[in-house]
Amino acid sequence: MLAKVTIAALLSVMSLPALAANCELTVDSTDAMQFNTKEIIVDKTCEKFTVKLTHSGKLAKAAMGHNWVLTKAADKQAVATEGMTAGLDKDYVKPGDDRVIAHTKVIGGGESDSVTFDVSKLAAGENYAFFCSFPGHWAIMTGTLKLSS
Ligand SMILES: [Cu+2]
């Protein structure tokens, strides 16, 4: 009986780190126009979620700049297309675009930027997309984001 209780207690302690929600993620981008992740699941127990974007390449942001933009999947193409004309000084995001849930600034090689957003902005069952809105990048540099069920 004693041994059984001890094992149960040990197991519950061991499983604690797995239960603690991870509410931040680093996404790396490269000179080869890639993100290192294609799918992000946001734990619904997170109040806020932070994405840190890094750029492990060497090219300047005017040539191979990247940002991380989050929208509903259905809004991705329009937001990316309209963001393109906003220009680099607006981080290729149309000012005041309320379809944009979160975005970082555009960074170049060796740089990084972070963005934190309220998880309450995400709805269960909705399909979200993240992408880079630098001209010509959004079709390749993209992935899905969902709220955990
Ligand atoms: Cu990019």
Side-chain angles (χ1 to χ4, degrees):
M1 185 62 185
L2 184 63
K4 193 175 173 186
V5 169
T6 305
I7 288 166
L10 188 63
L11 282 175
S12 74
V13 168
M14 285 170 66
S15 63
L16 274 177
L19 289 173
N22 185 4
C23 302
E24 56 180 56
L25 179 72
T26 297
V27 176
D28 187 50
S29 59
T30 69
D31 282 347
M33 208 195 292
Q34 297 286 333
F35 283 134
N36 69 343
T37 182
K38 289 284 175 197
E39 184 186 59
I40 298 173
I41 306 289
V42 174
D43 194 299
K44 66 180 178 185
T45 64
C46 294
E47 197 175 322
K48 292 177 182 295
F49 194 80
T50 298
V51 170
K52 182 184 181 188
L53 176 67
T54 59
H55 189 321
S56 58
K58 290 184 163 41
L59 295 172
K61 68 179 179 182
M64 186 51 75
H66 302 307
N67 62 2
W68 186 92
V69 181
L70 177 65
T71 66
K72 287 183 180 173
D75 292 334
K76 176 172 80 168
Q77 187 166 350
V79 168
T81 304
E82 293 168 34
M84 198 162 64
T85 57
L88 179 57
D89 63 333
K90 297 283 188 293
D91 294 309
Y92 294 113
V93 174
K94 187 172 80 173
D97 191 335
D98 59 13
R99 294 167 299 183
V100 175
I101 298 163
H103 76 90
T104 69
K105 63 182 186 180
V106 174
I107 59 170
E111 297 175 341
S112 68
D113 190 37
S114 292
V115 64
T116 299
F117 58 93
D118 291 333
V119 173
S120 62
K121 290 182 176 179
L122 304 178
E126 180 71 55
N127 291 315
Y128 298 92
F130 65 86
F131 56 95
C132 170
S133 66
F134 189 97
H137 291 195
W138 67 269
I140 296 163
M141 298 186 71
T142 187
T144 61
L145 183 144
K146 282 184 175 179
L147 192 63
S148 71
S149 52

